Amino acid sequence: MKTKLNGILTLFLVLVVQVAFAQQTVTGKVIDASGEPILGATVLVRGSSNATTTDFDGNYSIQANATDVLSFSFSGYDSKNVTVGNQTTINVTLSASLEAVVVTGYRTTTAPRSNVASTTISAEKIENRPNASFVQTLSGQVAGLNITTGSGQPGANSLVQIRGVNSINGNTEPLFIIDGAPVDEDNFRSLNPQDIASISVLKDAGATAIYGNRGANGVIIIKTKAGGFEQPLSIRTSSILSYTTLPDNDYNLYDAAGYLRLEREFGVGRGAGRATGGVPLTDAEIDAAESTDWLDVFFRTGVTKNNTVSLSSGGKKTTQYTSLGYFEQDGILVQSSLQRFNFRNNMTGRSENDKFNYASNFTANYSTNDEPNSIGSGAVNRNYLLGANSSLPYLLVSDYTPGEGGSLAPLLRNAPLFLLDRLETYTRKEEEIKLIGSFTASWEFAKNLTARSVSGADYQNVILTRSEGPTSFNSVFFAETGEDLPGTQDQQTTRQFTFNQTTSLNYNNTWGKHSLDVGLFTEYFKAHLRTFGFRQQGLDPRTFSPGDGSGFVGFDRGLGLYDDIANANILNAGLFSYFGSADYDYDSKYGLGLAYRRDASYRFAQSNRYATFYSISGRWNIGKEDFMDDSVFDALKLRASYGTSGNQRITGPGYFSGNNLTRDLYATAPTYGGQQALTLFTPGGIAGVIANPFLEWETVAQANVGIDFEIFDSRLRGSIDGYIKKTESLFQNTPTSALVGTFGLSANTGSLYNRGFDFELYYDVIRGQENGDFELDVFVNGNFNKTELEDIPSEAGFIPGIGQNGGRLFEYYAVRQVGVNPANGELLFLDADGNLTESPNVESDRVFLDKNIIPEFQGGFGLNASFKGFYVQSQFNYVVGVDRFDGDLAGFQDEDDIGQFNLSRDLERAWTPDNRITDIPSLNATNLNLDNTDRYLREADYLRMRFLSLGYNFQPQMLEKAGLNSLNIFVNAENLVTFTKWRGFDVEARDNGSRGYPTPKIISLGVEIGI
């Protein structure tokens, strides 16, 4: 018996050993059809819980038996099953699925079957960037998408425009949709870019007309991450540490010694003896003067910490994705920062028969923001940028005594001391809670018929608290007579809630070579705004604490002081739409799309409340024709579309702007006998609204023709599109008779064209054959766009500040300055007829300059390379055709500021009898301060290294013992180098102001771990 038992155990042991030795390590790479690696694809041993996911380079490693079947899957791609056999390396190419590839409006389709001009950016091009707002990461990545961030404030809003500018006074930014919920396009500082799975940019009318009243400026659709069905728990964490610094400038400002010599020469200021009884300083005294670089005082090296952890998993019928994020950024300017906490949970599910599907997406975010105010202004007591750029270099930080700001002399030259006092006594805190959620449910209740409901909401609550301490210079200086306890505290609460509901019925059928997709939709949108705030006048320094009410001083009826001010507002907005779409395909060769939409907006009177928009689009997949079988083309498609879409935000961004333009509104004001009464007019001007019941939508009609192609075994891929857009019924001021009490009334008049083309090209220079081989690819994209005005509402055919008929939008209209008269140092100008003059008429000698601030040509290019886990990614942005007024340079060359503010050494080139050939006029010239000239209009073209990343992805076999499936370490740089003629800190800003907050250079160190 014992012998038999030993025999059985021996046989069992042999079988176990055989099974053990039958298991093997299988490695490989998962890529898409274009050869790009797929990050996060699931590799599962079917029938077991043994699974892993691919790393940044698409690599994986898993233990499997020869008889096992590996299942490869990823969202948006068809799954693939492979039997292991005796293979130890299995490389897989996943094909794009028919359900989720290209977003074309309220539906998705495959790239070959798409009729529209759109671009999709994947998570890999958004993740691990140090920008607080994901919008900034899109810059230079999409042809025709122009993104300008005019401030270095953490989380600052960006101006986003697609294919030019479609309106003069109305909104020009696209509609943003996150997981089905339309959101505020001007506030993304509270959202975590690490949660984004893809961003689709819809450009032409074939894609945007179905959005009707909100699609005139294009549409950007953001899809956040989700778990995959039958996916084991995957944990990913990323941590990024960034350092931000001030970019360089070329203004060449004076130090203390140089400035004191300038003052001595000019006979003003400390150098000329203002502080020494009128005795000018000697060279020795000047050389011994201590100098302050005020840039180092008001700017700093900012530090950013960005941490995210996410968990994703899925069973047969449900999936989940959950993430937590923490972001903290100190801006390069003092008193500027952003701190953010993020939570997201996305869930999807399906019924046993897959007829019912649902998805919920929810994110809760809390942020605190400290943002200096008065940036860009000339407020010497409030704008830190003015203090950093223009303060006298011989003043010292020690010249300010903390707590003694109220005793400072109110002189312009004391600007940096006022601002040092403001740093001590002024506080600002903005707290925001932002919630975005959506729920989607679909039910295939009959063959080929699906009912769907998508509900989305966006809620934000902002509390802004500001206080000016009672002992500060500003409080003391602006105190009223008898106000012994000055100081103010403001608190403003703003709540905004929007809700969007879309209900649809879809019919989708395929028979033979034909397929048809028809949808009927209704959409309802509602927005609510509630605000309340107050200003407390008077703070007791003995009990005052910023944000607290213990130091509030009560109203003094006897003196009429410390009178508080309160404000409140209630605004509502609404839209309603019904629309339909139809898409037909024959044999994957020919396609036709139609869309029709009827919209109603609360902004317009009943007679114009509804408007109709439509589009037609088509394609011809030439590459699928028999005569293309032996051609170099792997794919070739011709697309065309035409359609209209509307802009009901005719007075600018925001849901609530221009909400009463079709109604006569009255104000209360003192009238005859000093009695309060209803009136349209007050002593200060118009207080009410004179109605224009005929106002209507701005309508954008767009025609687009495009080509998509792949050649040389899909090594070279790209698209080229040409378009013409015409905006009709522009909202602008129209002259009226003064008998109605005003010289102009807002109306729909005039047209605006945007004509151009954009292109995107990708080329795989070197493709690796095996895992770890050297790979190199390059890309370039660009957009050329030119605007043209038509039917300007002016008898003269032009309006200064807007442009002329046949000319560019916002074309500059100024007197031309051409140099300096070598005979006397006066500035030389051209009159309207082109004749030289020193004394032009600043009104009648102005001409249009064929220049404006809108880019003509802009885009990006770069390369990506990898070898055995090491990789480099780069992106350059370029902008051509922008001209801006350099207000900072004008200030630094203003001789009237000698003794008050710092200046540029350019003044050393000023005309003198011994220096007659120069670009700087005599400092005593009589025509230096003429208005309406182009003297400081400068070219603002640039080429910038927008992004550079160097990193290493550890190979899977190196991580197995540590229980990791991916580990990526990297160093990133943003805005590292800029090539431009612009002399200021920030060439990117799209304005003609001065003393602005420049966008910084950023260096980041990061690690990303997958478990």
Side-chain angles (χ1 to χ4, degrees), residues 283-349:
D283 285 340
E285 291 173 321
I286 289 176
D287 291 337
E290 189 175 349
S291 187
T292 301
D293 186 345
W294 290 101
L295 290 176
D296 292 338
V297 176
F298 292 104
F299 282 100
R300 63 192 177 187
T301 297
V303 179
T304 302
K305 304 168 188 175
N306 187 2
N307 300 283
T308 301
V309 59
S310 66
L311 301 90
S312 61
S313 62
K316 289 185 177 181
K317 298 302 177 184
T318 60
T319 74
Q320 71 81 30
Y321 171 86
T322 303
S323 74
L324 295 169
Y326 175 73
F327 181 93
E328 180 182 342
Q329 184 173 45
D330 292 326
I332 57 174
L333 184 65
V334 292
Q335 282 193 350
S336 65
S337 64
L338 174 66
Q339 186 179 38
R340 179 178 71 203
F341 300 88
N342 306 99
F343 168 78
R344 172 171 289 279
N345 177 256
N346 294 345
M347 297 182 64
T348 64

Side-chain angles (χ1 to χ4, degrees), residues 282 649 718 786 893:
T282 64
R649 296 191 192 178
K786 195 163 187 177
Q893 292 184 356

